Amino acid sequence: MDKRKPQGQYRTEPKGDRETMVYVWGSGTPTYVTEAAYRAKRYSPSFDQLPTEDEYDAARS
């Protein structure tokens, strides 16, 4: 069982009336959470330090 603390990997750019989401990985199944949930759970890094999905993908290429 994976015991690592969940961490945000990147944030999505909202389209239309959708909320900003954060891709979180580290303790089991990766998932998306809303910006509000990410901030409330105090995941790291801070929301403001997360790259966008495009920045994340570019850095991994």
Side-chain angles (χ1 to χ4, degrees):
M1 182 169 195
D2 193 347
K3 298 282 187 186
R4 290 183 285 177
K5 181 177 176 166
Q7 289 192 313
Q9 302 299 303
Y10 60 82
R11 59 187 161 83
T12 64
E13 295 290 330
K15 293 183 175 133
D17 62 349
R18 293 184 178 194
E19 293 185 62
T20 299
M21 301 296 285
V22 178
Y23 183 72
V24 177
W25 183 84
S27 69
T29 304
T31 191
Y32 284 93
V33 298
T34 65
E35 175 183 351
Y38 187 84
R39 290 181 186 272
K41 292 185 180 201
R42 305 181 103 166
Y43 288 127
S44 63
S46 71
F47 177 83
D48 297 321
Q49 293 178 319
L50 288 169
T52 64
E53 185 174 8
D54 289 341
E55 292 168 340
Y56 178 84
D57 289 341
R60 296 185 56 92
S61 299

